[in-house]
Amino acid sequence: MAVKSNRDFIAKLEEAGELVRVKEQVDWDEEMSAIVRRICEIHGPAALFENVKDYPGARCLGAPLAENRRFAVALGLDANISYQELRAVYAERMQKPIPPVEVKKAQAPCKENIIAEKDVDIFDFPSPMVHDGDGGRYVGTWAYQITKDLENNWVNYGIYRVMVYDEQHLAGLFTPSKHIGQQIEKYRKAGKKTVPVVIVVGGDPVSSLMASFDAPVGVDEIDCAGALSQEPIEVVKCEHSDLQVPAQSEIVIEGEVMLDVTVPEGPFGEFTGYRSGSGMRNLIKIKGITHRNDPIFTISNMGIPFHESSLRGLSRSLTYEKFFKSLGIPITNCHVPPEMSEMVLVVGVKTIHADMAVRVKNAFSAWRPSCMHKIIVVDEDVDVFNLNEVLHALATKCHPIRGIKAYEEHILHLVPALSVEERTKGKGAVALFDCTWPTEWPLEERPPRISFSTYPDDLVAKITKKWTKYGFKKV
Amino acid sequence: MSEYLFVDSGAEILKEGESVITVKDLSPGRKKYRCSLVRAELSSNPAKLPKADVLRVIGKLGHSRPKPWAIRIIEKVAVY
């Protein structure tokens, strides 16, 4: 059974040895986030900061889902489950979306404290200054936003960065290519001045994960969270709009995106591993805050992988795999290596006809744009989840001229390699690295791959079985 | 003497003389980095604006500019 709340998650992480309680005082101004960043880079446990400077009694959970092990714990699985097993469980559970169920206010822990608009002061919460050089403090690092489509009842959960402006205002980066940006645009075209929005800090881990993953347009992430949890997520109605929020949330900030008012936001260190630029973004007016008693804030620190965003590759790889297969492309597997900041897609194919890699690339471009802009296509004998094998194929089978093809097309502006002009104008490029043998090469002309797995099956089985008897450690 | 931070992203212009810009208050404490839109007298040469406060400047990607400006806030301006 998946965990239902941030607090249950903390208890389960502690049981699994995936959490450290930090009782030493830490400063919200960079120190706390720098610790989180180090945790990410050494694959360390999550941190529950229990002594935050200027905020007596406040607690912050850092790097809650910065590892696959903690993803497994969130789903109620063994922390030591393999990546492929985790991926299989995810794919299986996602077959059956489960809509949420509404509970009464009295049953919703997130309503234990209700702060009216006139009393709102966002500085009462320990929003961190995350990176040296950021443009401000971010209430939204591991927090998700909920918005509803104007034309239908599609409810979008998404994780977008949100900066603190003043006591009662925030500023969010809601780019037009993101679902929230598309929904906001509909309000603008309809002549609306505001868009109701909710920002959930300290949501249950499954809802938070689903907010960070890619559900297609029109799919409610909360139904997917129900699928992953194998039971409906309990939600409760908001105080200032008809939006609903998961009842177990720690802090719920209710507000309105003000479409006619912009303020400077950013820069901010992003999941790409680089700081991305500042610009004028819509102001968010806070209408009220509800929170649990002694709320636990959550923070992430994006940068060089691994971090919370790295888990998104799992869902993305399955999304592409499903899409390619729906087009009849003979895919073996897809993988988004977390080490490559979600910029690279590795696709294993059976090359049943010429230019299979180009067909994969064309299908890729038909899907919605993201930061992913390098596609490595490998033959079916390469394990796409094994980065050593993928890099070996890239190094040896990708012809420096014929194997690399570049295409000018739109990708998300956060890709650091883009020029200032490209970022501004929404331009970009995608590169295809074809690491498959050309189909016109006769079998006898294709250099056979040499590895342990290419020995006869019975010999491989025998050696594997006797490995420790030879005197080696178990692999 | 107070210190403020300005992000020179091109959205708001940093220029000599009077200007309306968004600054972040760097005073220590819970409200550090609070943003305000202000009308202020600005100078790249602190000697030309005696008894002014310090305005630290970073570029649009957060690179720190070596020399701070001087700022004398005239009034706070409503954002909307």
Side-chain angles (χ1 to χ4, degrees):
Chain A
M1 191 70 75
V3 297
K4 289 186 174 180
S5 73
N6 206 33
R7 296 181 189 210
D8 291 345
F9 186 44
I10 287 168
K12 293 286 182 191
L13 288 178
E14 207 157 21
E15 277 175 29
E18 284 291 325
L19 182 117
V20 167
R21 288 178 186 266
V22 180
K23 297 188 185 301
E24 186 76 12
Q25 188 181 75
V26 295
D27 198 334
W28 56 265
D29 191 359
E30 295 190 26
E31 183 185 6
M32 188 163 64
S33 295
I35 293 168
V36 171
R37 184 92 286 278
R38 187 154 202 243
I39 287 169
C40 292
E41 294 181 11
I42 62 171
H43 297 275
L48 184 62
F49 298 102
E50 297 183 324
N51 185 354
V52 182
K53 188 181 172 188
D54 298 328
Y55 292 92
R59 290 175 293 170
C60 295
L61 178 63
L65 282 150
E67 289 290 328
N68 286 328
R69 296 191 301 277
R70 301 205 272 281
F71 185 3
V73 170
L75 297 190
L77 305 170
D78 186 326
N80 296 313
I81 193 172
S82 74
Y83 180 75
Q84 279 88 336
E85 287 171 315
L86 181 61
R87 195 170 179 268
V89 170
Y90 176 88
E92 196 270 325
R93 289 192 187 179
M94 289 297 282
Q95 299 289 328
K96 287 184 187 169
I98 301 175
V101 289
E102 186 173 348
V103 297
K104 292 193 166 68
K105 208 165 158 176
Q107 297 169 286
C110 69
K111 301 285 190 183
E112 286 170 349
N113 299 271
I114 298 177
I115 302 172
E117 182 175 353
K118 65 180 175 53
D119 299 320
V120 164
D121 183 350
I122 198 65
F123 292 101
D124 286 342
F125 299 92
S127 303
M129 179 68 174
V130 182
H131 313 95
D132 180 35
D134 284 352
R137 297 168 68 169
Y138 278 76
V139 67
T141 57
W142 190 243
Y144 59 79
Q145 287 84 66
I146 306 173
T147 45
K148 190 183 263 187
D149 197 274
L150 193 57
E151 296 171 353
N152 49 50
N153 284 324
W154 169 38
V155 177
N156 180 59
Y157 279 47
I159 291 191
Y160 313 100
R161 72 193 206 199
V162 178
M163 191 188 84
V164 172
Y165 187 81
D166 63 19
E167 287 81 354
Q168 298 190 325
H169 297 91
L170 309 167
L173 175 60
F174 308 136
T175 52
S177 56
K178 294 287 186 183
H179 288 166
I180 193 171
Q182 292 163 18
Q183 290 185 331
I184 285 174
E185 206 47 40
K186 289 182 184 177
Y187 282 79
R188 196 187 303 280
K189 283 182 179 163
K192 305 280 184 188
K193 299 287 185 192
T194 59
V195 182
V197 65
V198 173
I199 298 154
V200 175
V201 186
D204 67 87
V206 178
S207 300
S208 302
L209 275 168
M210 288 320 306
S212 75
F213 287 2
D214 287 332
V217 169
V219 172
D220 289 4
E221 280 88 356
I222 193 68
D223 296 1
C224 301
L228 266 191
S229 298
Q230 298 179 296
E231 62 181 333
I233 303 291
E234 293 181 345
V235 293
V236 63
K237 192 181 168 304
C238 284
E239 302 292 309
H240 300 274
S241 70
D242 65 349
L243 293 168
Q244 295 174 320
V245 290
Q248 297 287 339
S249 306
E250 295 285 341
I251 302 164
V252 176
I253 303 167
E254 299 187 31
E256 290 176 337
V257 180
M258 304 182 75
L259 299 182
D260 294 338
V261 185
T262 58
V263 292
E265 181 275 339
F268 183 67
E270 275 286 357
F271 70 93
T272 58
Y274 298 88
R275 192 176 298 117
S276 78
S278 53
M280 299 300 282
R281 325 285 188 207
N282 287 112
L283 195 68
I284 300 167
K285 165 74 177 158
I286 304 174
K287 306 289 286 182
I289 297 175
T290 69
H291 66 82
R292 294 183 69 151
N293 293 333
D294 303 319
I296 302 172
F297 206 87
T298 42
I299 63 169
S300 174
N301 187 339
M302 303 296 168
I304 293 172
F306 227 79
H307 42 69
E308 279 72 12
S309 188
S310 307
L311 302 184
R312 193 160 51 180
L314 184 148
S315 79
R316 283 199 171 162
S317 67
L318 285 165
T319 301
Y320 280 112
E321 204 169 288
K322 193 174 170 185
F323 180 57
F324 293 155
K325 283 179 177 170
S326 75
L327 299 173
I329 301 174
I331 298 299
T332 53
N333 269 311
C334 288
H335 183 44
V336 179
E339 296 84 353
M340 296 180 180
S341 295
E342 303 163 63
M343 309 256 168
V344 176
L345 176 67
V346 183
V347 184
V349 292
K350 295 177 182 176
T351 48
I352 56 173
H353 59 65
D355 291 329
M356 181 59 77
V358 174
R359 192 173 159 201
V360 170
K361 186 268 153 197
N362 289 341
F364 168 88
S365 295
W367 197 250
R368 77 184 169 98
S370 66
C371 283
M372 208 174 289
H373 64 284
K374 294 187 178 80
I375 309 148
I376 300 173
V377 180
V378 297
D379 280 316
E380 61 181 307
D381 62 340
V382 175
D383 177 2
V384 299
F385 302 109
N386 184 330
L387 210 50
N388 285 343
E389 286 195 21
V390 172
L391 291 176
H392 181 259
L394 178 66
T396 56
K397 292 170 75 175
C398 182
H399 189 278
I401 295 173
R402 295 189 304 275
I404 304 173
K405 294 181 173 68
Y407 306 82
E408 286 190 359
E409 60 187 57
H410 169 70
I411 54 174
L412 288 197
H413 70 283
L414 289 174
V415 175
L418 295 180
S419 69
V420 173
E421 187 192 5
E422 285 171 322
R423 284 178 220 165
T424 311
K425 294 185 175 174
K427 293 180 173 181
V430 169
L432 168 65
F433 298 87
D434 184 355
C435 309
T436 63
W437 295 127
T439 48
E440 64 269 25
W441 286 14
L443 196 60
E444 287 201 356
E445 298 298 330
R446 299 181 191 182
R449 198 159 68 108
I450 298 168
S451 81
F452 176 61
S453 64
T454 59
Y455 282 87
D457 289 347
D458 55 346
L459 183 58
V460 168
K462 178 187 168 188
I463 291 174
T464 305
K465 191 177 176 186
K466 290 182 65 179
W467 193 245
T468 51
K469 284 191 179 175
Y470 295 131
F472 301 108
K473 282 184 182 172
K474 191 177 178 184
V475 179
Chain B
M1 186 182 290
S2 299
E3 288 196 12
Y4 297 91
L5 178 72
F6 175 72
V7 181
D8 191 7
S9 67
E12 294 175 335
I13 308 299
L14 188 65
K15 60 180 174 62
E16 303 284 340
E18 197 175 302
S19 211
V20 175
I21 59 169
T22 302
V23 296
K24 289 139 213 272
D25 190 342
L26 295 181
S27 304
R30 278 166 88 125
K31 303 222 167 169
K32 189 178 177 186
Y33 303 110
R34 183 193 187 280
C35 302
S36 300
L37 185 64
V38 297
R39 182 182 311 283
E41 192 76 21
L42 301 167
S43 177
S44 60
N45 183 355
K48 288 185 179 173
L49 212 57
K51 295 184 182 172
D53 293 322
V54 175
L55 182 66
R56 305 210 171 271
V57 182
I58 60 173
K60 64 183 175 186
L61 291 176
H63 295 294
S64 187
R65 302 268 168 84
K67 275 183 61 182
W69 282 49
I71 180 170
R72 191 180 292 149
I73 293 175
I74 301 165
E75 61 175 350
K76 289 198 174 176
V77 178
V79 176
Y80 60 93

